[in-house]
Amino acid sequence: MADLDIRKGMPSVELSREEFESRYRSRFADPAFEPLARELDAIVAVAWDGYSNSRKAPHTRKAGPGFADPDYDLSVDWLAAREAIIAAQRRHDDASKTPRILLINGSSRSEHSCPGEMSKSWRLIKLAEPIFEEMGFAVDILDLSRLTSEFGIQIHPCKSCVSTAMPLCHWPCSCYPNHALGQTDDWMNEIYPMWVAAHGIMIVAPVNWYHAPTGLKAMIDRLVCADGGNPDPTSTHGKKAAAAKALELKGWPYPKHLDGRHFAVVAHGDAVGAETLRRSLSDWLTDMSLVQASRTAEVDGYIGYLEPYATSHQALDEDTDFQEQTRNAARALGNAILLSRAGTFVRPDEEIEDPNPK
């Protein structure tokens, strides 16, 4: 086995108390907080204590049976997320339950925030929704525009634990919440079970500078734990790099936690990049062992090509072909799931063992 090699050398990010208080108090810039100065002083003191003592998870309990180290203290937030995922997997596997579709609006635009107008992605999502309902599916909508328009939800960035060692990336992600750093209100613990429960996932998204919109990309990055992630944080003693490296070097199986779910993708733009985004999304989903429903289930195109942004919704009104392509993507995804549940959709690689599952 190779020697464990943990590289260090980045500059410190530790804050002085003065700098910490300055940043923390900036959250209360509204003059309405001024009469609460004494209360705020007490809150800042507690927050500094949590930061300086690195209280990432102030509420924990023993892992208990089923974990490598039953006496390890696990975050109750992580345990709750794990329990939700287990329940979602049971629903997914129960043939008596109605199959579920997860429809994802990947646009950040919302009438409830600065743009003041709904997105075309949202409109396309609402075209697909009744197709699935008519086919007998239960539909969950994940509207990522809520990240820009709703108080108290966000998707924190991936900390790239997997690049240190795959077992350091826990399923579900254990990086958040981090109360010591104020990294709370993370939405992913609600999003993970939505993916797990789904039999099919359909993503509709605009292209932003050849790439996925910020919120969608954040979710993509945080789903890395679904592709080979470690379901037992006690096996790495939390976030101990040396333990994770040792575990990986013994041989890691890279479990595919979303294996076998079908997908469809609709990517749209106004000038460039829609095909690039569609390919990127499809490659990502395929790499996680999700299954492309069919060629018809992957759509890219332009709505109001090189026309003014101000008339883009009118362009979508007139583009009945793109509307129908979106509906067809939904139909293809629904058909693939129904065939799969009937046992007549067989993956050609079902029994093939990958010699390099990373």
Side-chain angles (χ1 to χ4, degrees), residues 143 206 212 215 230 283 292 346:
D143 179 9
N230 180 2
D283 286 351
Q292 179 200 40
V346 181

Side-chain angles (χ1 to χ4, degrees), residues 34 99 105 142 149 255 262 332 342:
E34 289 177 2
N105 172 25
L142 174 56
S149 60
H262 294 267

Side-chain angles (χ1 to χ4, degrees), residues 128-317:
E129 182 181 19
I131 300 297
F132 291 121
E133 291 175 338
E134 289 164 10
M135 297 179 77
F137 293 99
V139 180
D140 298 309
I141 295 180
L142 174 56
D143 179 9
L144 293 175
S145 76
R146 291 171 60 192
L147 290 164
T148 63
S149 60
E150 184 174 326
F151 177 82
I153 59 170
Q154 53 192 310
I155 297 177
H156 290 290
C158 176
K159 295 182 179 179
S160 301
C161 299
V162 65
S163 294
T164 291
M166 189 73 238
L168 198 61
C169 180
H170 300 145
W171 168 250
C173 176
S174 66
C175 292
Y176 305 101
N178 186 324
H179 293 271
L181 296 180
Q183 296 170 339
T184 59
D185 301 321
D186 187 67
W187 200 11
M188 287 304 299
N189 281 352
E190 295 180 35
I191 290 174
Y192 290 131
M194 297 176 76
W195 277 77
V196 173
H199 297 83
I201 290 93
M202 181 170 177
I203 300 174
V204 181
V207 57
N208 287 8
W209 285 119
Y210 296 89
H211 295 283
T214 303
L216 176 57
K217 184 57 169 67
M219 182 189 69
I220 289 171
D221 287 351
R222 293 288 302 286
L223 276 162
V224 66
C225 57
D227 186 51
N230 180 2
D232 185 355
T234 74
S235 66
T236 56
H237 314 300
K239 289 292 184 176
K240 301 298 183 185
K245 284 177 180 280
L247 195 56
E248 183 179 45
L249 292 173
K250 290 178 182 177
W252 187 253
Y254 297 94
K256 302 286 188 179
H257 299 291
L258 298 174
D259 178 72
R261 290 156 177 81
H262 294 267
F263 72 85
V265 171
V266 176
H268 63 91
D270 71 332
V272 292
E275 184 179 9
T276 301
L277 176 60
R278 188 262 304 164
R279 285 176 172 169
S280 295
L281 292 173
S282 179
D283 286 351
W284 162 61
L285 291 161
T286 302
D287 281 351
M288 291 202 299
S289 286
L290 277 78
V291 182
Q292 179 200 40
S294 73
R295 181 193 65 80
T296 307
E298 292 194 30
V299 178
D300 63 75
Y302 298 94
I303 300 170
Y305 181 68
L306 289 179
E307 295 176 5
Y309 294 110
T311 57
S312 64
H313 274 290
Q314 290 96 316
L316 178 55
D317 291 340

